Amino acid sequence: MELFKHSKEIKMDVLKEVGNIGAGNAATALSRLLNKPIDMAVPQVQLLPFEQIAESVGGSEQLVLAVFLRVEGSAPGNLFFIMSPEAGKNLLQNLAGIEVSEEEQFSEMEQSALCEIGNILSGSYLSSLADFTNLSMTPTVPALAMDMAGAILSYGLIQFGEMGDDALLINTTFLEGQNEVEGQFFLIPDPQSFAQIFEALGVPLEHD
Amino acid sequence: MIEEQSIVKVAMADLNVAGPNGILRTTGLGSCVGLTLYDPVTKIGGMAHVMLPSSAIAREGQLNLAKYADTALPILLNKMRNLGASPARMVAKMAGGAQMFAFAGSGDTMRIGPRNVESCKAGLEQMGITLIAEDTGGNYGRTVELDCATGKFTIRSVQKGIKEL
């Protein structure tokens, strides 16, 4: 991307911090909900070819549970919260005390609870980001899907598709002690949002 | 001698062609469309993993022609012709174009799946190629394979299992 021609290191670090703050707050929110400590990995910021994006969750055909919401406002983008179906079941059991069914499918009640948890976590991710950057970022109503990772994540790449064949994503993993609940946040800001984010955080944007 | 079949992978926003021993495969189609052309006589097949409906919306410098429905189709046809396939005999099958997430007040981006399908159909019609089978729409992901030996088009999904067209 054109924007990363100059001082790429600094910009990548700034985006890492964005992921850190967002996911950090979401992890705190989850920790309060579960009343358990939640660990978080160092965020990864990567410019990846479309084909490789699903690799970080186990490949294009990997079955995943995803809460997706579109971010609107001055720095629009797409936010995914992704878990394995097993992690989803564990989360329901630990958190809501829901007696989860053994089946692979999720009941309507379970789906709605997961969607709400995703909503709470994504909301705290976004609101901390909005506070940090002073940019308006409002989430749309979240939607839940359980399907192939490739099919789900490609939805977040459409805006990048018009620009090229790579997308920049900020990926943060967090997990609860015994790896019972592990989730990943993928923030894929729209291409034009990066300038907004950098400007808001005082990162100089050089132009040729 | 029977040659072993080989899988030819088609990446997202890419296209590929194969001869009688090839199986063209693309994974994790969501709103994208897996568009295939097949010449049953020469057993030459082609597949494109179309991501966006029209190159008119492109803002990229170097256009990736395989990404857009309107530009991928002519290239696919040409590549197959170069291998010896006849456009007059070609038939098309396609799958994908789902709407993975349903939203209230969804904009154009959210309807990208159906738009991809419409655009692929318009392109086929323009080139006079008959669409003989499709499995499009819905709200689920698909992995598709075109077996060039038989022209069989296999669709796999988490929700609906395996389907052959």
Side-chain angles (χ1 to χ4, degrees):
Chain A
M1 273 172 84
E2 194 74 24
L3 196 59
F4 291 91
K5 274 190 182 152
H6 298 279
S7 44
K8 186 178 171 203
E9 292 289 307
I10 298 173
K11 285 171 182 160
M12 288 298 192
D13 278 346
V14 164
L15 293 177
K16 254 180 217 169
E17 191 51 28
V18 163
N20 214 359
I21 288 178
N25 275 276
T28 309
L30 182 62
S31 164
R32 283 210 196 103
L33 282 172
L34 294 172
N35 205 12
K36 280 179 185 165
I38 300 286
D39 286 329
M40 202 177 79
V42 176
Q44 290 182 307
V45 176
Q46 292 163 299
L47 186 62
L48 288 175
F50 292 153
E51 193 62 18
Q52 279 174 30
I53 289 191
E55 295 304 321
S56 50
V57 287
S60 175
E61 288 190 282
Q62 181 67 44
L63 181 67
V64 296
L65 196 61
V67 176
F68 166 65
L69 44 89
R70 174 97 186 124
V71 182
E72 288 169 347
S74 40
N78 297 305
L79 183 65
F80 293 89
F81 176 59
I82 295 196
M83 281 174 290
S84 68
E86 299 78 51
K89 293 266 178 187
N90 288 336
L91 190 57
L92 285 171
Q93 207 147 27
N94 286 341
L95 170 69
I98 293 176
E99 200 60 35
V100 291
S101 49
E102 291 288 308
E103 299 156 46
E104 229 175 60
Q105 294 297 319
F106 286 79
S107 70
E108 222 166 276
M109 167 75 179
E110 289 169 354
Q111 288 187 26
S112 145
L114 281 171
C115 203
E116 189 48 33
I117 295 166
N119 193 20
I120 292 170
L121 300 185
S122 310
S124 63
Y125 188 113
L126 281 181
S127 65
S128 61
L129 220 55
D131 286 348
F132 178 52
T133 56
N134 229 347
L135 293 168
S136 80
M137 294 183 185
T138 38
T140 58
V141 178
L144 181 85
M146 188 169 78
D147 215 312
M148 299 176 188
I152 286 174
L153 286 169
S154 66
Y155 232 69
L157 305 177
I158 293 162
Q159 285 82 6
F160 266 98
E162 297 167 10
M163 303 280 293
D165 296 326
D166 308 291
L168 198 143
L169 69 112
I170 304 167
N171 174 3
T172 320
T173 303
F174 60 72
L175 32 100
E176 188 252 296
Q178 290 87 38
N179 290 1
E180 276 185 335
V181 179
E182 185 180 338
Q184 285 188 67
F185 271 108
F186 284 74
L187 176 65
I188 310 177
D190 287 1
Q192 71 271 21
S193 295
F194 289 102
Q196 302 286 341
I197 294 171
F198 290 143
E199 204 170 326
L201 295 174
V203 180
L205 295 171
E206 299 90 337
H207 295 287
D208 289 319
Chain B
M1 197 179 98
I2 299 167
E3 281 185 67
E4 215 174 299
Q5 289 196 309
S6 59
I7 301 256
V8 181
K9 221 186 155 225
V10 181
M12 187 171 178
D14 199 3
L15 55 81
N16 224 327
V17 291
N21 300 316
I23 295 176
L24 289 156
R25 182 165 199 265
T26 198
T27 57
L29 290 166
S31 57
C32 299
V33 171
L35 175 65
T36 68
L37 297 180
Y38 184 64
D39 175 354
V41 175
T42 57
K43 300 190 187 300
I44 291 167
M47 180 185 280
H49 185 137
V50 170
M51 187 180 175
L52 295 165
S54 161
S55 58
I57 56 170
R59 287 176 286 155
E60 55 186 323
Q62 186 92 43
L63 210 60
N64 172 5
L65 298 170
K67 185 160 46 185
Y68 307 94
D70 61 333
T71 50
L73 199 51
I75 298 180
L76 196 59
L77 189 133
N78 259 330
K79 280 197 156 193
M80 288 171 67
R81 187 155 47 195
N82 290 344
L83 284 182
S86 153
R89 287 193 298 255
M90 283 181 198
V91 288
K93 293 180 182 179
M94 66 181 186
Q99 204 164 350
M100 298 299 295
F101 299 97
F103 281 101
S106 52
D108 243 13
T109 315
M110 297 306 160
R111 265 202 81 246
I112 200 85
R115 280 168 59 212
N116 280 335
V117 172
E118 286 157 22
S119 184
C120 285
K121 283 185 181 168
L124 287 170
E125 200 173 294
Q126 212 173 7
M127 308 197 106
I129 298 171
T130 318
L131 179 69
I132 56 170
E134 64 170 311
D135 177 38
T136 55
N139 62 350
Y140 54 93
R142 297 165 171 94
T143 283
V144 297
E145 275 180 15
L146 179 70
D147 184 342
C148 295
T150 58
K152 203 160 68 185
F153 190 47
T154 311
I155 300 138
R156 267 184 298 148
S157 63
V158 175
Q159 293 181 19
K160 312 264 164 170
I162 296 173
K163 187 170 167 183
E164 277 179 10
L165 293 176

